[in-house]
């Protein structure tokens, strides 16, 4: 399997990459880690005439703590996330999620920015970003803008990125100390996409839920934020009945595509189960404030 | 058709130059232009790991890397493991522990295990299984592959201390 012919560009700077995108418009595709795009090109699902490789663009990598946030360069790889002391300490949800992506070789190449920009609801970072309340820095020739993850994902392979824009940085507010977390993912085997998965951040005050956020993977045309489920939990005692009700509400917004991983009913049920498991695990990891 | 490009990189310590179309995959350059047929083509879809090579300190599936991405890279394939007629500790481990049957996955397994042991010189069995999960073997059931990696880890740590 060999991709259709294309011209390869390896710009060294972000302005050069943006200029290439502007010059070639619809005919150009950005190459990050290449572990979604190159397989699609090999299958001829994607046939860009111009490939703009971000691999040599300076300034797109790195993990920094900036005030109460973690800033991740878009070309930071999954293994770099997993091995980062900052991410391990401040944002273990992201480590747990990244460890469940692809396989070791895929994680050396696959990038968080590529995973997000691709707009595939089966990718894991979109739901993680929704749960974490992340925002994205998008740069184009007209300057930069910062958009929230909630609202960025518009449809399958469709995001708020405008033609000529590049996602350069992911900004994640550091969850407060004591916040519980879990990414529960059901997959058939290593390297598979999720049959269903749920990302949860949970802040407890005594026995009641102070704050909770829930993101769902591969349960619709985009990653989903389970707002009704979140609303049902805030201020409530987090007992089994409350968790079951939240899982039911999460299932009520699911519209998964049937495929070899299961039919709609099964995938919806599994999304409920993953929500259930993620909430219970997050509860066990949370330290309640008085 | 897009213009061919010259790409230079270091392969098992030697400088090489190749002239390729941008769409050429690294596995084809290695096997067909450079006669390095150790990295195998298994699935061609970045699942099986038979084509694994070490590229700038990363284990990568060379069926999912373009050769043009490798300008100035340092690459190691199974052909670079034996030194002066002596097997690498991993090659010895796979022999001693019967870590292969048909051998198709072995170059990828050894190349992947090489990077794993660089990053984690004494991995637990669980860590070996997790960090080797990108390489499929249809013969062994993995038991002896784990043992082979453990054998090499032990031997390498004994030699380095």
């Amino acid at each position: 399997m060999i991709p259709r012919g294309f011209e390869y560009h390896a710009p060294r700077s972000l302005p050069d990459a943006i200029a290439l995108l502007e010059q070639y418009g619809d005919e150009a595709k950005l190459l990050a880690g290449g572990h979604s795009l190159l397989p699609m090109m090999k299958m001829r699902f994607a046939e860009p005439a111009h490939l703009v490789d971000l691999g040599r663009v300076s300034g797109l990598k790195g993990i920094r703590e900036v005030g109460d946030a973690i800033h991740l360069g878009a070309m930071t790889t999954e293994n770099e996330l997993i091995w980062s002391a900052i991410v391990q300490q401040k944002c273990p949800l992201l480590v747990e999620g990244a460890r469940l992506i692809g396989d070791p070789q895929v994680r050396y190449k696959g990038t968080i920015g590529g995973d997000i920009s691709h707009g595939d609801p089966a990718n894991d970072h979109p739901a993680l970003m929704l749960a974490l309340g992340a925002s994205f820095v998008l740069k184009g020739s007209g300057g930069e803008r910062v958009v929230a993850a909630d609202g960025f994902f518009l449809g399958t392979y469709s995001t708020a990125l405008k033609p000529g824009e590049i996602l350069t940085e992911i900004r994640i507010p550091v969850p407060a100390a004591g916040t519980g977390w879990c990414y529960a993912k059901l997959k058939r085997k290593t390297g598979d996409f999720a049959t269903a998965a749920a990302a949860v951040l949970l802040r407890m005050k005594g026995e009641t839920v102070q704050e909770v956020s829930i993101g769902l993977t591969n349960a619709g045309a985009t990653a989903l934020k389970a707002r009704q489920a979140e609303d049902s939990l805030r201020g409530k005692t987090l007992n089994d009945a409350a968790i079951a009700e939240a899982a039911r509400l999460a299932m009520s917004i699911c519209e998964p595509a049937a495929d070899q991983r299961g039919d709609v009913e099964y995938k919806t049920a599994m999304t409920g189960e993953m929500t259930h498991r993620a909430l219970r695990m997050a509860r066990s990891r949370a330290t309640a404030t008085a | 058709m897009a213009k061919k490009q010259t790409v230079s990189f270091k392969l098992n310590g030697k400088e090489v130059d190749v002239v390729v179309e941008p769409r050429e995959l690294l596995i084809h350059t290695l096997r067909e232009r450079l006669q390095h047929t150790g990295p195998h083509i298994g699935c061609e879809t970045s699942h099986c790991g038979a084509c694994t090579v070490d590229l700038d300190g990363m284990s990568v599936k060379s069926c999912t890397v373009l050769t043009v991405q490798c300008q100035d890279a340092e690459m190691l394939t199974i052909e670079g493991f034996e030194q002066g007629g002596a097997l690498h500790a991993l090659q010895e481990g796979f022999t001693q522990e019967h870590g292969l049957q048909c051998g198709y996955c072995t170059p990828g397994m050894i190349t992947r295990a090489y990077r794993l042991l660089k990053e984690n010189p004494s991995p637990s069995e669980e860590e070996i299984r997790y960090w080797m999960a990108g390489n499929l073997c249809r013969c062994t059931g993995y038991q002896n592959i784990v043992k082979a990696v453990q054998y090499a880890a032990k031997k390498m740590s004994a030699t380095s201390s």
Side-chain angles (χ1 to χ4, degrees), chain A residues 213-251:
Chain A
S213 58
I214 304 172
L216 307 176
T217 296
N218 220 0
T222 67
L224 301 174
K225 188 159 167 61
R227 281 176 229 286
Q228 292 163 293
E230 294 170 356
D231 292 344
S232 79
L233 289 169
R234 284 193 194 97
K236 292 264 178 60
T237 304
L238 193 60
N239 54 27
D240 289 353
I243 288 176
E245 174 63 3
R248 191 189 66 78
L249 288 167
M251 286 167 62

